[in-house]
Amino acid sequence: SKHSRKRWAATARRVGSSWEVSAPERVGLVQEFLHQAFASAGHDRVLLGFDFPIGLPEAYGVQTGARGFVDFLDLLRTNAWPEFFEVAQRPDQISLRRPFYPQGAPKGVTRAALVAGLGVSSFNELLRASERATSYRQAACSIFWTLGGNQVGKAALAGWQEVVIPARRRGARLWPFEGTLAELAVLPGVVIAETYPAEAYRLVGAEFSRGESKRRMADRCRKAEAIFAWAAAHGVRLAPGAQQAILDGFGPLSAGEDAFDALMGLVKMIEVADGRRPEATEVQDRSRAWEGWILAR
């Protein structure tokens, strides 16, 4: 999230043949978070999962002249595209080098302006393959659209500037752009992947039924039994602080939903690391080059 109060992380460490999961914690300073990750990566493999888009729609990417998303990130590191991180306020400001729109919620903003400004034929072309509607999920929002409750563009802007680009400077590698997890785990280091915690709810049996809400502490408390059952079934050790957080529904504050999602995202990563879920059901060539993928989707 672009808001620091909504940034939470859950951590699992390999201990013998099992995982030990710590209680979710607020991230605090992103620089310190990355410092700790790279300190661990000096002698170990570290997989960092983030709930924001990592990649660009191919229809946009091929217009930039870069060879792929990783190459494009290198362009952004050099400040060759200084306006890229500035959200356009008006349709006439939208361009290849300033693709995010709109800033605020001025009257009359339309997605058609974004389509025209970015030189594509439809809004669907501004979705990555992993974001498009299927028979079992609705379409996500385009990374470039920054208005509404389901927009993800501002989180991506913050995540790339504060996490991905600085981590790349320190040698982090990006899944799946630079290889499979097995290929990227050959040597110690930091690997960054995109995750979507909500997909872990069903995996654990912790879905929210009609009338329930992830935002309510009492409803989160009702998921404790399912989470404990998943951990017991797979030999995952929950530290005392993690157990208490789960029993308490991650606390009464609104940030409880973010701590809950941090743990759910971690659950999904453990499922992949242990081989119970594939890292990707499909990773097309364009996904490798430009669009990326969501871990375990």
Side-chain angles (χ1 to χ4, degrees):
S1 172
K2 64 171 290 189
H3 301 293
S4 59
R5 69 180 184 278
K6 294 182 69 62
R7 296 174 177 177
W8 286 73
T11 304
R13 297 183 184 278
R14 196 74 172 172
V15 180
S17 60
S18 64
W19 295 96
E20 184 168 292
V21 174
S22 302
E25 296 181 340
R26 196 186 296 271
V27 168
L29 292 176
V30 176
Q31 300 95 317
E32 180 60 26
F33 175 81
L34 288 177
H35 177 74
Q36 292 176 2
F38 278 94
S40 297
H43 53 79
D44 216 338
R45 283 93 175 142
V46 176
L47 176 62
L48 300 179
F50 294 98
D51 183 16
F52 57 75
I54 301 177
L56 287 165
E58 184 187 38
Y60 169 85
V62 295
Q63 298 182 66
T64 66
R67 294 187 298 271
F69 180 65
V70 173
D71 187 43
F72 184 73
L73 282 179
D74 291 339
L75 281 178
L76 297 182
R77 285 170 55 184
T78 64
N79 293 319
W81 288 38
E83 292 184 319
F84 183 82
F85 293 106
E86 296 179 17
V87 180
Q89 296 177 313
R90 305 186 310 270
D92 63 339
Q93 294 176 326
I94 302 169
S95 69
L96 199 64
R97 290 175 176 260
R98 194 176 180 182
F100 292 85
Y101 175 79
Q103 177 67 277
K107 187 176 180 180
V109 297
T110 67
R111 293 183 174 189
L114 195 59
V115 170
L118 297 183
V120 296
S121 59
S122 71
F123 193 75
N124 196 54
E125 286 193 77
L126 297 179
L127 295 175
R128 299 177 297 158
S130 61
E131 297 165 337
R132 292 185 177 138
T134 68
S135 59
Y136 52 88
R137 68 169 181 262
Q138 295 181 330
C141 188
S142 169
I143 187 175
F144 297 127
W145 184 252
T146 57
L147 180 64
N150 69 336
Q151 66 87 16
V152 294
K154 291 182 179 178
L157 287 172
W160 294 8
Q161 286 181 287
E162 298 179 45
V163 176
V164 178
I165 291 175
R168 287 282 300 164
R169 288 196 185 103
R170 299 180 64 168
R173 291 160 293 169
L174 301 183
W175 176 89
F177 302 99
E178 297 177 279
T180 65
L181 289 181
E183 292 166 344
L184 295 172
V186 170
L187 297 174
V190 171
V191 173
I192 291 175
E194 179 181 348
T195 62
Y196 187 55
E199 291 181 341
Y201 300 174
R202 178 174 295 182
L203 186 156
V204 174
E207 307 102 310
F208 291 88
S209 59
R210 181 173 295 183
E212 289 186 320
S213 172
K214 181 182 68 172
R215 297 184 175 184
R216 285 199 294 263
M217 177 182 171
D219 292 338
R220 295 193 298 267
C221 283
R222 294 189 182 97
K223 311 308 168 188
E225 183 177 353
I227 297 171
F228 286 136
W230 170 84
H234 301 300
V236 175
R237 300 207 301 260
L238 298 168
Q243 294 181 37
Q244 194 60 54
I246 294 165
L247 288 170
D248 291 343
F250 301 88
L253 301 179
S254 60
E257 65 171 312
D258 303 304
F260 177 84
D261 269 351
L263 182 65
M264 289 296 100
L266 181 65
V267 163
K268 198 174 174 189
M269 293 166 69
I270 290 174
E271 286 284 306
V272 172
D274 282 350
R276 288 186 293 276
R277 293 289 183 278
E279 59 189 81
T281 55
E282 56 175 303
V283 178
Q284 303 161 351
D285 289 342
R286 68 178 176 186
S287 300
R288 279 285 181 93
W290 278 108
E291 299 193 349
W293 202 255
I294 296 170
L295 192 67
R297 173 168 285 187

